[in-house]
Amino acid sequence: VPAKTYDTGAYHEPGAIGILFKIVHAFLYLVQPNTFPQGKQINYFCLKYRFVTDVVSSPENVVLTLQAIYYEIGFIVSAALGLLFILLLPLVGLCFCMCRCCDNCGGEMHQRQKKNADCQRSCFATFLFVASLIIRQVVGVLCAYAANQHLTNQVRGAKKLVNSNFKDLKVFLNDTPAQIDYLVSQYNTTKDKALSDLNSKYFYLKGVSNVETKEALENVSVSVEVLQEGTERLHANLTDVKMHLSNTLNDSACNAAQAASTCNIIRNSLAQLNINANFSGLPSVSSQLAKINDVLKIDLSSLVQKVSFNDTPDLVVNQTRNILSDIKSVLESIGSNITTFTRALPVQKILADLMVYLTQSEAYVQDYFPLVEQYDFYRWLGCLILCCMLVLILVFYYLGLLCGTCGFDKHASPTTRGCISNTGGNFLMAGVGFSFLFSWVLMIVVVLTFVTGGNVEKLVCEPFEDKNLFKVLDTPYLLNKHWKNYLAGIIFKNPNVNLTFEKVYSDCKENKGIYTSLHLEHLFNINELLNISMYTEDVALKIEHIQINLSKIILLDEIGKENLLNFSSSGIDGIDFSAYLTEINKSVTKVDLLSFANDLEARADQLPKGALENALKGHANNIRMIHNQQVVPLEQAMSTLNQSIRLLKRTSSELMVKVKNVISAVNAAQNLINNNASQVIVQETKKYMDTIIGYFEQYTEWVKESISMEVAACKPIANVIDTAVDIFLCSYIADSVNTFWFGLGGSSMFLIPAIIFAVKLSKYYRRMDTEDVYDDTENGNNGYHKEHLYGMHNPVFT
């Protein structure tokens, strides 16, 4: 079935910020470790709250409230702590300010000198720096800003993903009619194949292959003649070569000491130049060939075809003409019913309405998407302002640490500290003041986003990932108190059909057809439409009553039988095959002429240069030419003779048995035709009809499988759900919002130790109005001057 590929990849990879998302998920698990309520629990909660109308203090409502509190206990406790932060921190800040205005709580501009003052100052500075660093980098401003920017970036890129989903849905709607038309059109291919087989002639008979035997005998006769002539000519040439070689070796040059031994070796090998196989004594096969030619004068195959089978198909066709027409009418009726059924389905109307709705929805999204981007900009700006509040506090803390550390002079007394050090202390106190001013605002945002984003993650995103959310939606009587299965009630108006959100989503996720996913067999059942048996019952009944008369058919008359017997007695079995095979297995010559020529040439090279060497090399070339021109053709003729003899040997060993078997089979077939023709024709017609019907059974199974798995594959629907819930709601919004409150909340919590350390540290940087003064060691006054000695008021001792 033609299928289109969809562009939407319903998967989101957050990138580097995904590490923060995982940390937030782990934190939420600590806050809310309870498992998601199962279907029965959800059903119990919702049904009881919907139908119990007793007073609030009724036992059922009390139990339900306690169960809900237990499930949400983590969020409730965390939100309560946040509310305490919102209420107490501004109140503490107000009390702290009033206390300092009364020269208490560190507001008195006097510092007592202590021996470990440097150690305390260093510790306070370090703790404040660490707290500020955590606020800024680890769980603070950078985390919140990254989440804020990530959400904005995803919103800006969401338009492409939305357009991709709309495009896939349009492809889904546009391709479905074409896929249905393709399934219907393939019926014609099946029907044409069936009609082609119905119109063909399928009766035939294989006769005995006596032509092959004749060809084998002819090959034997010709090959023997070729071999006899060739060996005679080869014998004469080899004799001539031996004579010339002998004359050459009788030359006086062979008497020399250097050539005598070589010439003797060559002279002794001349006896090998002779033929080895003798075909002149082989028996002739001309008499057997003559008998085969007499048999072949009567064409057995044409005789059988003329007598019987040329008329058989016409007889059967004429007497079963009505049956064939009935089968053809069945094929036509099936095709017309399929076409009528597909046209009766309101597919085009439904798809047209869906396309209109889809176009309107796309236009609506395109019109309002700029507004969404505009509101997202306002959100981004608001979150940026919140981050800037923290940044402002951090700036004061860092400036205070920088100025205080750089401007601090350990040799200066508290009343004589420099301007830079004093400015550092003032920056720290400014940071404390802004912390009290902004902290409650930040915590309000944290609590609201925490309760909202955390519950979305735990109640929507996680259940959606493990499909528990669909189990909730599939809870009987949850969405409608009268319907067991809500989705089935909406689609089929029959809530008892087992159609669930989880099954539909899973099937679409696997890209199965909409017919299987939505169980559309409850609207129209293709099994009833494609039930071939309902069309073939009448035809099968007519086949049972077929009466065929083939008594006039004679398969093989007496002439044909006599011809077969003459063929079996042609004398092939009397051929002396062993004599032929004995000569065939011999080589043409006693020695390989090429090897002999090469050896002769090698020995000629051992002789002194001269006429004798040249003459011997000339004889070697002559021997090679004899091998190529005479020995090679003889070897080919021997190969042909070998094949033909072996074929005749195999044929002769079984010829009589085969002929008798053929005559027996023909007699049995004649008896079957005369006595059981109708029964055989009925059985064969049934088998043939089963074959024809088998084509359509394959077609129907293919159609069912295609409609179930390929036609209107609903992957785009699952992609839309994944895009809306998993990507937009969870990955884009929930993860970003949760990471934002995680960073903002962590920063707000670390403001408390930062306030404490900043207040403590500012005493060591700011210029004091009064100070403690140490006595000289020789005065023995425990390190302090008496006030009456210096005429100054000492607030420590008064």
Side-chain angles (χ1 to χ4, degrees), residues 505-567:
Y505 174 78
S506 299
D507 288 345
C508 289
K509 192 76 173 176
E510 297 174 3
N511 203 26
K512 292 183 180 180
I514 198 73
Y515 184 87
T516 299
S517 301
L518 294 181
H519 293 219
L520 295 182
E521 65 270 11
H522 295 282
L523 289 180
F524 48 90
N525 194 343
I526 60 172
N527 291 325
E528 296 179 358
L529 169 69
L530 300 175
N531 186 8
I532 302 297
S533 61
M534 61 183 295
Y535 301 101
T536 59
E537 291 179 356
D538 293 340
V539 179
L541 185 62
K542 292 180 180 180
I543 291 176
E544 293 288 344
H545 298 87
I546 290 178
Q547 294 293 331
I548 304 295
N549 184 9
L550 299 179
S551 59
K552 297 181 178 180
I553 294 178
I554 299 176
L555 296 180
L556 189 63
D557 58 6
E558 294 301 326
I559 298 177
K561 293 178 182 179
E562 183 180 357
N563 185 279
L564 286 175
L565 294 174
N566 291 336
F567 174 66

Side-chain angles (χ1 to χ4, degrees), residues 194-211:
L195 292 177
S196 174
D197 287 354
L198 283 174
N199 294 328
S200 64
K201 294 181 180 180
Y202 49 94
F203 295 101
Y204 63 94
L205 175 67
K206 290 183 178 179
V208 180
S209 181
N210 45 23
V211 176

